[in-house]
Amino acid sequence: MMRYYYPSCKFKIAFPEISEKIIKYLNKKSIETKGCCRIDHRQLNEIDTGITICTNCSLILKEVSKAHIYSLWEIIDQDKNFLLPRLNNSTCIIQHCAKADDNIKKAVCSLIDKTGTSYRISSHDDYCGFNFMQHMSSENLKIAPKTFSALEKKVVLLNEEHRREKITDLIKEYDGKQVIVYCNSCYKVLKENGANVIHIAELLF
């Protein structure tokens, strides 16, 4: 039985230093780091465990492999020796990703709760950057057709102007509070449009 970490190509580009810290943390747990989930999933067997930091990687691995797939946040939430920051901030907002399952959502909420920060959850549970305002990518549809064909049915096509309007309306509802996300697409679009957003990895590492 092997445990592999899939570090997310996009996350590594966006947060190179944090990505290295995560890899070092997992290496101490004898968790081997792999490359791209689209290629390196072939090494996963039924008895293996795959660990992801990206909701997209998680969806792909769950369809193309028979291994046990967990998010990094679930691993950290179960790690009693992980030194969590004590924030004691005013209420923040957790923006869940529409591509995340309940286990990911519960782990993220648990971790934020343990930091001593109160939070509320955004009512927009259909959000994932612009991913549900345009067609699913052809790459994702090709490698995990069952999963992404189902997600494609949730798509409401919007042009660039209307996408921006929808994101602006969402950000207004945050009312200037800090928003915590755990998805690359969620982070990218909110950051580019001026939200007070932080990736949970920035808090933990």
Side-chain angles (χ1 to χ4, degrees), residues 43-170:
Q43 297 182 34
L44 282 171
N45 295 313
E46 290 184 16
I47 61 173
D48 294 332
T49 296
I51 298 163
T52 66
I53 192 172
C54 167
T55 53
N56 224 51
C57 295
S58 179
L59 291 175
I60 289 172
L61 290 174
K62 284 180 178 179
E63 178 165 340
V64 302
S65 78
K66 294 182 180 179
H68 307 282
I69 308 300
Y70 299 96
S71 72
L72 174 64
W73 322 123
E74 292 172 79
I75 301 300
I76 296 175
D77 190 42
Q78 295 167 9
D79 184 355
K80 295 180 180 179
N81 295 317
F82 190 92
L83 188 60
L84 289 164
R86 293 297 300 175
L87 301 177
N88 299 312
N89 291 338
S90 57
T91 302
C92 64
I93 298 170
I94 296 176
Q95 177 60 65
H96 283 310
C97 175
K99 291 183 178 179
D101 62 24
D102 287 342
N103 290 330
I104 294 176
K105 294 177 181 179
K106 288 177 182 177
V108 168
C109 288
S110 175
L111 287 169
I112 298 304
D113 188 53
K114 290 174 183 176
T115 67
T117 297
S118 60
Y119 66 87
R120 69 175 175 86
I121 297 173
S122 170
S123 61
H124 293 266
D125 58 1
D126 60 344
Y127 177 68
C128 183
F130 288 153
N131 282 318
F132 291 96
M133 305 178 203
Q134 57 192 3
H135 291 300
M136 295 288 113
S137 76
S138 58
E139 287 185 354
N140 289 341
L141 285 166
K142 182 177 181 180
I143 193 168
K146 182 178 178 181
T147 298
F148 287 93
S149 292
L151 292 176
E152 176 71 22
K153 295 177 182 178
K154 298 182 179 182
V155 170
V156 177
L157 294 177
L158 297 176
N159 60 30
E160 182 68 20
E161 180 183 356
H162 289 145
R163 288 180 210 161
R164 297 292 175 185
E165 288 178 356
K166 189 169 182 180
I167 296 302
T168 299
D169 289 342
L170 172 61

